[in-house]
Amino acid sequence: MDELEKNEILGDLYAYYGCLLTKSQQSYFEDYYYNDLSLGEIALNHHVSRQAVYDNLRRCRKLLKNYEDNLHMQRDYSMIETKLSKVATAVKNGKSNQALQLITKLINELRGE
């Protein structure tokens, strides 16, 4: 997996769990990943050392991955999106019975049945 893919995955995780980070962590993360600032630039803006920024970003990455490992929001959203796409295709193709079965199955899965 290249750096671009890793950054994209982290951006997706941040969309789900960024609000669980501290304001400082959010600021460092956004400056580095979204605003494309260097560690040195972020350090200057926040009046901390470059090492503090690096450590904070590393901690953010670890936290975001840990949240997904425990809460599975991204995984679950992707699963629901895939299944709803199948429902939409079935409806588009006039297969209402198949669409109903897919919806019923999805509802049961969401209920944990």
Side-chain angles (χ1 to χ4, degrees), residues 41-53:
E41 291 170 321
I42 298 168
L44 282 173
N45 292 344
H46 292 272
H47 310 291
V48 296
S49 70
R50 206 175 156 280
Q51 184 65 44
V53 174

Side-chain angles (χ1 to χ4, degrees), residues 20-36:
L20 298 175
L21 300 175
T22 67
K23 293 294 180 200
S24 176
Q25 289 170 329
Q26 290 175 23
S27 181
Y28 289 176
F29 188 94
E30 290 173 11
D31 281 349
Y32 188 75
Y33 289 101
Y34 296 149
N35 301 329
D36 201 29

